Amino acid sequence: MVGDIVAHSYTRDDLKDLFFSALEMFNNCLDSDINKDNLRIDFFVPENGIKVYERFCSRYFPKHLDEPYKSNGYFDEIAAQAFVSESCYGVLIREDIDFTLGEVLQMFLHEISHLYCTQNEVSGGHFFDKYCMGSGVEDGMINAGYAIWREAIADIMADSILSENATLTLPMVKDEIRHLNREISIGNPNSKKAMSLILAYIMISAEVATTADWKVTEKEIRKTIKFEEPIVYGILEMFFEQLHTSPFWTITPEFITELGQMYLELLSMRAFMIRIKEIQNDEQ
């Protein structure tokens, strides 16, 4: 979410140096156990992504071979991906990126945040493996909640480490937030990502990041963003309160399930309203 003006190309050595610079920044804030000795890094471009992924995961992260990495466009859509096993951490990095320096650091801090949270979000780590492997109704809620939480918290942590002060304001991002809000729908496969980005943008804004009072925060959001559905404010309040619980990166199945349930209720409400409008139009 922050970056320089000019994009760059990078060598593998450049990217490694930048990654370890980002890791040093991260460890200066949170003192993680991630280091050069227990970290595995490899590089890919979309053309060899499947081959690199299979080689990398076969050696270090075999459970990830069950992921849909062979799906069309998988490696076109990612710039980096984090992995955690019982014995090491790993990151795959796309080597033909043309990001600005700030964007590269933001990306690496995002992935490092994933590494840290995976290991520290619950006792013993690995929330997803422990709680998100089922297929029932409640599993749908917890999976949705975790997908939203996971991306939003990594964005928030990365931005907080990279930015000394909260310089983004709600008026600066209101148009983007409103656009993302329109993307939240049952038919959009990127809907959960849109919800995550809304949460991240709002939580790192100066108006929100500088207060611990939800009522003050809600007033600013209502004044500037003007969400229509009350349930959106419920999601925001829940997330806000979690960020003010120490340590904020630790989560419970109950919290994640409730987050997912509220998100799915939002989708259902929007689908219902669309159907009502369709019926009304048919009757005219």
Side-chain angles (χ1 to χ4, degrees):
M1 294 180 187
V2 294
D4 301 332
I5 297 174
V6 181
H8 307 276
S9 59
Y10 304 89
T11 66
R12 290 187 177 189
D13 286 340
D14 290 336
L15 291 169
K16 277 188 177 180
D17 288 344
L18 287 169
F19 185 90
F20 286 114
S21 293
L23 181 58
E24 183 178 5
M25 294 168 66
F26 188 95
N27 284 338
N28 284 341
C29 293
L30 288 176
D31 192 26
S32 78
D33 69 337
I34 309 166
N35 56 62
K36 290 184 178 181
D37 294 330
N38 62 15
L39 182 69
R40 310 292 179 258
I41 295 177
D42 208 339
F43 299 89
F44 74 94
V45 292
E47 292 75 17
N48 69 1
I50 292 176
K51 180 180 178 180
V52 173
Y53 187 100
E54 290 180 341
R55 181 185 68 216
F56 189 66
C57 290
S58 294
R59 184 172 182 182
Y60 301 115
F61 310 99
K63 72 177 183 181
H64 286 276
L65 293 171
D66 294 332
E67 297 295 323
Y69 65 91
K70 292 183 179 179
S71 60
N72 188 40
Y74 184 91
F75 293 99
D76 293 316
E77 297 174 359
I78 60 173
Q81 185 171 348
F83 303 82
V84 181
S85 74
E86 297 300 325
S87 59
C88 64
Y89 299 97
V91 180
L92 280 181
I93 301 170
R94 181 168 173 170
E95 61 182 297
D96 63 346
I97 55 174
D98 59 354
F99 293 175
T100 66
L101 177 60
E103 288 168 341
V104 171
L105 290 173
Q106 182 92 22
M107 174 184 74
F108 286 156
L109 285 166
H110 179 100
E111 299 305 323
I112 294 166
S113 297
H114 279 321
L115 299 177
Y116 182 83
C117 288
T118 298
Q119 201 72 300
N120 294 278
E121 58 202 358
V122 291
S123 178
H126 301 274
F127 182 96
F128 183 87
D129 293 345
K130 291 177 178 177
Y131 300 106
C132 298
M133 302 302 286
S135 57
V137 174
E138 291 187 0
D139 298 299
M141 295 177 187
I142 202 167
N143 278 308
Y146 187 68
I148 291 166
W149 165 263
R150 182 177 186 272
E151 292 303 316
I153 199 62
D155 277 337
I156 292 167
M157 291 174 73
D159 192 86
S160 298
I161 291 168
L162 197 56
S163 304
E164 292 184 1
N165 301 295
T167 56
L168 199 70
T169 65
L170 289 177
M172 290 168 62
V173 293
K174 69 177 181 180
D175 290 341
E176 177 65 13
I177 290 173
R178 289 171 180 172
H179 166 73
L180 290 166
N181 189 42
R182 292 191 293 270
E183 295 292 303
I184 298 175
S185 67
I186 287 178
N188 183 3
N190 295 315
S191 181
K192 290 189 287 292
K193 179 62 175 176
M195 186 77 252
S196 294
L197 286 170
I198 287 171
L199 288 165
Y201 276 125
I202 288 177
M203 297 302 155
I204 66 174
S205 68
E207 296 89 340
V208 177
T210 55
T211 180
D213 188 334
W214 167 248
K215 291 184 179 179
V216 172
T217 293
E218 182 181 13
K219 182 178 179 181
E220 291 295 328
I221 297 170
R222 288 185 180 276
K223 180 177 70 174
T224 306
I225 310 300
K226 302 176 181 177
F227 292 110
E228 294 180 1
E229 299 101 335
I231 197 168
V232 176
Y233 291 98
I235 293 171
L236 291 169
E237 180 180 7
M238 187 179 178
F239 207 96
F240 179 87
E241 295 299 340
Q242 175 63 26
L243 290 181
H244 289 84
T245 301
S246 182
F248 64 84
W249 55 82
T250 61
I251 52 177
T252 64
E254 293 76 18
F255 165 74
I256 293 298
T257 299
E258 186 177 355
L259 177 62
Q261 180 179 5
M262 295 176 76
Y263 166 76
L264 294 175
E265 287 177 2
L266 174 62
L267 292 186
S268 297
M269 289 170 55
R270 291 189 174 183
F272 177 76
M273 293 307 299
I274 290 172
R275 182 55 183 153
I276 291 296
K277 289 179 181 179
E278 290 174 346
I279 293 172
Q280 291 174 339
N281 289 336
D282 290 342
E283 292 176 345
Q284 291 179 356

